[in-house]
Amino acid sequence: MRDNSEGMPEIIKTYTENGNHFVVVGKTIDGINKSFAFWISEKAFVLINKVLSFYPFDKLLKDRYKYFFAGCIRKDSKKNTQYTDFRIEQGKNGKQFEFEVELQFLKNIIWFSELKDFEQVKHLKEIF
């Protein structure tokens, strides 16, 4: 298990627009940080919001929580379910936790985590 989030894509937020669900994911490549939105299913939207509403550390600290895709994947073939680890950080605190994820989101976030340059995501909506 890693002790920091360096190189991990950050799951920043989810939102709904015109009845469609989106997740905003940030990535740093060569010192440049950019964020992009991509479409997710309703199931993925619900599952990602469970991650984003998990606050394992001191709720009284003013440091905001950050959520990163950690890349550890586990499949439960009996339930046809996928799980992955998210690294959750608040200030100096950080730990990985396992959550259920929807398969298409998992495929997309793995692809996104392996990006070597931003040219590959120019078709996605960049969030400033």
Side-chain angles (χ1 to χ4, degrees):
M1 186 164 20
R2 296 172 63 171
D3 62 352
N4 66 52
S5 58
E6 186 175 330
M8 295 179 181
E10 182 179 3
I11 311 302
I12 299 170
K13 69 178 183 174
T14 60
Y15 68 94
T16 301
E17 184 176 276
N18 299 323
N20 292 299
H21 303 296
F22 298 89
V23 63
V24 177
V25 182
K27 173 92 173 159
T28 302
I29 300 174
D30 296 331
I32 299 169
N33 189 11
K34 293 188 177 190
S35 300
F36 299 90
F38 59 86
W39 179 89
I40 54 175
S41 69
E42 186 171 348
K43 179 180 179 181
F45 182 78
V46 169
L47 293 172
I48 294 168
N49 280 322
K50 285 183 182 180
V51 175
L52 296 175
S53 62
F54 183 62
Y55 307 109
F57 307 118
D58 189 347
K59 292 181 182 177
L60 298 178
L61 289 178
K62 294 183 181 186
D63 295 329
R64 82 172 182 91
Y65 275 85
K66 293 183 178 185
Y67 302 84
F68 299 90
F69 171 68
C72 300
I73 300 164
R74 182 176 68 83
K75 295 181 182 182
D76 184 338
S77 57
K78 291 180 183 176
K79 294 182 180 179
N80 196 26
T81 305
Q82 303 73 226
Y83 300 89
T84 192
D85 282 0
F86 288 90
R87 179 169 176 83
I88 301 175
E89 296 180 347
Q90 182 193 32
K92 294 180 182 179
N93 296 318
K95 187 174 178 182
Q96 287 182 201
F97 299 90
E98 183 179 76
F99 291 88
E100 180 183 351
V101 290
E102 186 263 340
L103 182 59
Q104 190 59 47
F105 168 77
L106 183 59
K107 289 178 180 180
N108 286 335
I109 196 68
I110 290 169
W111 169 78
F112 194 83
S113 70
E114 295 173 349
L115 289 177
K116 302 294 183 216
D117 60 60
F118 292 116
E119 183 68 21
Q120 299 172 48
V121 291
K122 65 182 181 181
H123 63 284
L124 296 176
K125 179 181 178 181
E126 186 172 354
I127 306 295
F128 298 97

